[in-house]
């Protein structure tokens, strides 16, 4: 069966970005001038996804409005002949988007469970707004290609520094079945470096079979008291094969402050409007900081 649907959970509390996320979803925070969720929607479309469900929480309106037409703004830009800006505003509206509310942020697994009726009995992709992925083939498409071969759930993973395993779900790989595709013994949510069975961390893209919903329906809260998707995937793996696909492209972790700032700088350095000024600014700032460092050491 062809994978046509994607689910984007965007109902977390975003506590790492408070107070910015008090009244706004962290998925709406912009990288230069584009909300992170738009990068995710673009990856879905580039992968051939036809229908997208966004799971929203308290800050539902700005996400819905962002992907809706804004007639007042559009006619204003048209009147002023700002065709480039008009194009940017219009290109977010031509997407088959659906929304559902997760009334309480009980965890990622619980957010995905809200997609049960939308997904029905089909395989689907879960894409987290925390991670922007870049590769010649979009990561979601890589997982969809794997599904065409295996007809099994496949989770994207990436090597992370060993001391950071407690920030991620980690896989215990059994064997590499083909280039970068692993059989998995088990999945562990946020293990300490001592407990971690590998350095291969689950990153924000999953291709799941609909059987995951049966598991999620009876999933007990796990790490942090939340209903964890990783725990449900571990259970699913006991009744049907779940593979892991190692991602070798570039991952921008926008879920924490420092990752977000690094991503903004890197995207700024290739943004036609600001790249030259930003580059000059960074070079000048670097020289100033180096001078301060030398003065401190004296
Ligand atoms: P995170 O744990 O990174 O998001 O969840 P968070 O809880 O919003 O962030 P912090 O840790 O408090 O700063 C990963 C993804 O799952 C979604 C989040 O919106 C994020 O995209 N999520 C998480 C939900 O949709 N619902 C939840 O109950 C939890």
């Amino acid at each position: 069966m062809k994978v046509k649907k994607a689910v984007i959970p965007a109902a977390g509390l975003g506590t790492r970005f408070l107070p910015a996320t008090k009244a706004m979803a962290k998925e709406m925070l912009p990288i230069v001038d584009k909300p992170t969720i738009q990068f995710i929607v673009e990856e879905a479309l580039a992968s051939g996804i036809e229908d997208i469900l966004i799971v929203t929480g308290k800050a539902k309106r700005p996400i819905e409005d962002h992907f809706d037409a804004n007639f007042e703004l559009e006619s204003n830009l048209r009147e002023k002949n700002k065709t480039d800006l008009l194009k940017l505003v219009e290109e977010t509206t031509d997407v088959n988007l659906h929304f559902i509310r997760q009334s309480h942020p009980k965890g990622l697994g619980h957010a995905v469970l809200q997609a049960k009726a939308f997904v029905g009995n089909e395989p689907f992709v879960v894409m987290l707004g925390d991670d922007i992925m870049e590769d010649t083939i979009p990561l979601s498409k890589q997982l969809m290609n794997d599904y065409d071969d295996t007809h099994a759930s496949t989770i994207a993973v990436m090597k992370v520094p060993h001391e950071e395993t407690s920030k991620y779900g980690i896989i215990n790989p059994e064997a590499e079945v083909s280039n970068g595709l692993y059989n998995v013994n088990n999945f562990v949510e946020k293990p300490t470096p001592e407990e971690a069975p590998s350095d291969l961390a689950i990153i924000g893209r999953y291709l799941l079979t609909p059987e995951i919903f049966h598991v999620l329906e009876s999933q007990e809260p796990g790490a942090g008291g939340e209903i964890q998707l990783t725990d449900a995937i571990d259970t699913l793996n006991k009744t049907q094969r779940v593979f892991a696909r190692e991602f070798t492209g570039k991952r921008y972790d926008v879920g924490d402050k420092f990752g977000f700032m690094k991503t903004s700088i890197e995207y700024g350095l290739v943004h036609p409007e600001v790249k030259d000024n930003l580059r000059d600014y960074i070079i000048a700032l670097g020289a100033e900081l180096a001078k301060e460092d030398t003065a401190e050491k004296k």
Side-chain angles (χ1 to χ4, degrees):
M1 192 183 273
K2 197 168 164 265
V3 181
K4 293 180 294 208
K5 293 177 179 169
V7 175
I8 304 179
L13 290 177
T15 52
R16 282 169 291 172
F17 277 99
L18 281 170
T21 46
K22 193 177 163 200
M24 187 176 64
K26 75 171 165 189
E27 289 78 4
M28 281 303 291
L29 296 175
I31 302 298
V32 189
D33 51 11
K34 195 191 280 190
T36 56
I37 198 162
Q38 194 179 328
F39 287 89
I40 313 302
V41 167
E42 286 173 1
E43 181 191 324
L45 298 179
S47 301
I49 291 293
E50 293 167 16
D51 276 288
I52 300 170
L53 176 75
I54 300 183
V55 184
T56 58
K58 59 188 175 359
K60 178 185 158 99
R61 278 288 300 278
I63 300 181
E64 278 194 0
D65 289 350
H66 180 70
F67 291 103
D68 201 357
N70 182 335
F71 298 115
E72 204 181 332
L73 177 63
E74 285 166 31
S75 65
N76 185 296
L77 294 173
R78 207 168 286 119
E79 269 164 33
K80 292 181 176 149
N81 264 331
K82 297 194 169 166
T83 40
D84 288 355
L85 289 178
L86 183 63
K87 200 167 152 255
L88 285 180
V89 167
E90 283 178 338
E91 72 189 10
T92 54
T93 59
D94 195 19
V95 190
N96 251 343
L97 275 187
H98 312 259
F99 294 89
I100 196 161
R101 190 86 173 220
Q102 182 192 19
S103 46
H104 298 287
K106 293 184 188 166
L108 177 58
H110 184 257
V112 171
L113 183 57
Q114 311 311 305
K116 187 177 175 218
F118 164 81
V119 168
N121 202 23
E122 297 176 28
F124 66 107
V125 173
V126 173
M127 308 173 75
L128 303 192
D130 286 38
D131 281 330
I132 296 175
M133 313 291 191
E134 272 182 13
D135 207 348
T136 35
I137 300 175
L139 179 52
S140 303
K141 180 67 180 162
Q142 293 179 31
L143 300 180
M144 289 156 74
N145 290 344
D146 285 329
Y147 180 83
D148 287 342
D149 294 338
T150 62
H151 299 288
S153 296
T154 307
I155 315 303
V157 296
M158 193 170 195
K159 281 218 169 69
V160 295
H162 189 65
E163 61 279 10
E164 289 183 14
T165 55
S166 62
K167 293 204 304 200
Y168 298 92
I170 299 288
I171 67 161
N172 179 6
E174 186 189 325
E176 190 169 355
V177 287
S178 65
N179 196 11
L181 192 69
Y182 295 85
N183 266 326
V184 183
N185 284 320
N186 58 311
F187 297 79
V188 196
E189 182 62 20
K190 300 192 168 66
T192 61
E194 295 73 42
E195 292 161 349
S198 77
D199 293 342
L200 286 171
I202 299 175
I203 49 176
R205 302 290 181 271
Y206 311 70
L207 193 150
L208 297 167
T209 56
E211 286 76 25
I212 193 73
F213 294 117
H214 303 307
V215 182
L216 282 171
E217 271 163 344
S218 52
Q219 184 66 54
E220 295 291 329
E226 295 195 342
I227 297 174
Q228 297 287 355
L229 184 59
T230 307
D231 295 344
I233 292 169
D234 189 51
T235 306
L236 184 70
N237 190 34
K238 296 192 168 84
T239 54
Q240 54 174 246
R241 292 173 309 162
V242 177
F243 292 97
R245 154 67 53 199
E246 187 173 355
F247 179 56
T248 53
K250 179 116 194 181
R251 166 175 175 253
Y252 295 91
D253 177 6
V254 294
D256 79 355
K257 285 196 245 312
F258 186 47
F260 183 86
M261 290 166 95
K262 283 194 287 187
T263 310
S264 300
I265 291 171
E266 289 191 34
Y267 273 82
L269 285 170
V270 292
H271 191 290
E273 226 174 286
V274 293
K275 63 179 185 185
D276 294 335
N277 284 342
L278 183 61
R279 200 183 161 78
D280 291 348
Y281 172 71
I282 290 173
I283 291 170
L285 185 65
E288 214 172 286
L289 292 176
K291 222 190 283 170
E292 272 176 27
D293 267 7
T294 338
E296 258 171 42
K297 277 179 199 136
K298 273 188 189 161

